[in-house]
Amino acid sequence: MTASDMDGRLGEEFFTPGTASFTDFLAAHRPELLPTRRPFPDGVRAEPGRFPHGTTVLALAYRDGVLIAGDRRATMGNLIAQRDLEKVHPADDHTAVAFAGSVGLALDMVKLYQVELTHFEKIEGIPMTLNAKARRLAGMIRQNLGQAMQGLAVVPLLTGYDGAAPDGEKGRIFSFDVAGGLYEKTDFHAEGSGSPYARGALKKLFHKGMDRREAALAALQALYDAADDDSATGGPDINRRIYPIVSVITEEGFERLSEPETEALSREMVEQRRSRPDGPTAAP
């Protein structure tokens, strides 16, 4: 502890010129606080099934913006580690991030990313563009490559409302790989172990110009299909009243659908499955 820490004064590092990146600031002055630091010596890998792992998240563009959703289950190997995990978080007023992968690292990365965007806006006086937000998150994931190679990967899904985009294209979706590769997706996407089944459902149900209710039901149907075929994905738990998290981002900003609304839509979807277990067919 330095003298400035003891008497409440800011240390010299706070007056050292640098970038508007809070992550770069930590890397230069307090690297031990970064969630991307390696937890194990080189050559050591995390034992499979010993750390909570989150699945399945998805996003789809709709008429007013973009919707992002996730199931609530975390697993450790063949065990259910948590039934009510929150995998969808606002990053700022018009951006949201969801994650699949190592839960502890993912939650820390989300918090750091939230601070990163706020810090940039305070330093520069303007918010980042959506493209810059995606590139900044890609850089953070790239810093985590060492941990990913040790078996502790984080795979986020980023969505945002881009007011500068043409009408009909303002809801944007970005995916990443564990090395920080950045890919913009059109219309919809999903990540996590249940993502192949969720994407298959969305491919069947998605259409241009969906309203909020249609988009939310399509997301719930896709998560239900993922849970039906992937044991690591949790469907709506009506007995415990645990339902997927569904959020939207529009011109007005980020909004998480209320618990009563999500419950009503989930119950409606489950009731539809009683007469059609395989789910709705594609629109003609």
Side-chain angles (χ1 to χ4, degrees), residues 206-235:
F206 178 85
H207 63 85
K208 295 284 189 181
M210 301 174 80
D211 62 26
R212 171 169 139 158
R213 175 182 168 80
E214 289 178 306
L217 279 172
L220 292 171
Q221 294 278 8
L223 289 172
Y224 190 101
D225 278 349
D228 199 34
D229 286 298
D230 173 45
S231 62
T233 303

Side-chain angles (χ1 to χ4, degrees), residues 7-270:
D7 62 17
R9 290 181 291 123
L10 293 176
E12 292 183 3
E13 63 270 20
F14 290 94
F15 301 98
T16 303
T19 71
S21 169
F22 184 73
T23 304
D24 290 348
F25 175 80
L26 282 184
H29 302 288
R30 296 292 297 276
E32 71 277 6
L33 296 180
L34 285 172
T36 52
R37 67 190 186 281
R38 287 198 178 194
F40 310 119
D42 289 344
V44 177
R45 287 182 55 84
E47 183 179 344
R50 292 296 299 273
F51 297 91
H53 189 89
T55 58
T56 298
V57 294
L58 59 84
L60 65 152
Y62 75 108
R63 184 177 61 197
D64 299 323
V66 62
L67 178 147
I68 185 167
D71 81 307
R72 307 293 296 276
R73 179 173 292 179
T75 58
M76 288 195 302
N78 64 327
L79 301 177
I80 297 176
Q82 188 173 348
R83 300 179 188 275
D84 59 353
L85 178 65
E86 300 208 3
K87 304 175 188 176
V88 179
H89 301 268
D92 63 13
D93 289 343
H94 289 89
T95 316
V97 61
F99 65 84
S102 299
V103 172
L105 291 177
L107 291 173
D108 280 351
M109 189 178 290
V110 167
K111 292 175 184 176
L112 180 60
Y113 185 60
Q114 291 168 335
V115 175
E116 179 81 2
L117 299 187
T118 301
H119 183 264
F120 179 92
E121 186 169 351
K122 289 183 180 297
I123 296 297
E124 298 294 334
I126 57 172
M128 286 188 194
T129 64
L130 187 54
N131 285 336
K133 293 175 188 177
R135 290 193 297 270
R136 187 60 58 90
L137 184 55
M140 293 174 64
I141 298 166
R142 194 171 299 114
Q143 291 175 346
N144 193 57
L145 181 59
Q147 294 198 88
M149 296 298 99
Q150 291 180 318
L152 298 174
V154 176
V155 184
L157 183 62
L158 181 71
T159 60
Y161 183 88
D162 188 352
D167 289 341
E169 301 177 13
K170 295 185 181 296
R172 299 174 64 189
I173 303 167
F174 299 89
S175 72
F176 308 83
D177 60 34
V178 295
L182 172 62
Y183 315 94
E184 183 165 7
K185 300 298 182 178
T186 303
D187 297 334
F188 59 86
H189 189 63
E191 292 286 359
S193 62
S195 61
Y197 314 108
R199 285 198 296 267
L202 289 174
K203 186 175 182 179
K204 175 179 66 173
L205 298 174
F206 178 85
H207 63 85
K208 295 284 189 181
M210 301 174 80
D211 62 26
R212 171 169 139 158
R213 175 182 168 80
E214 289 178 306
L217 279 172
L220 292 171
Q221 294 278 8
L223 289 172
Y224 190 101
D225 278 349
D228 199 34
D229 286 298
D230 173 45
S231 62
T233 303
D237 191 336
I238 291 177
N239 290 333
R240 294 185 177 90
R241 300 189 67 179
I242 299 173
Y243 304 98
I245 294 175
V246 181
S247 299
V248 295
I249 312 171
T250 64
E251 185 177 9
E252 285 72 37
F254 176 91
E255 178 190 355
R256 175 170 166 170
L257 271 61
S258 67
E259 191 77 13
E261 183 177 3
T262 307
E263 178 178 357
L265 291 172
S266 296
R267 288 181 177 273
E268 177 182 338
M269 183 266 298
V270 171

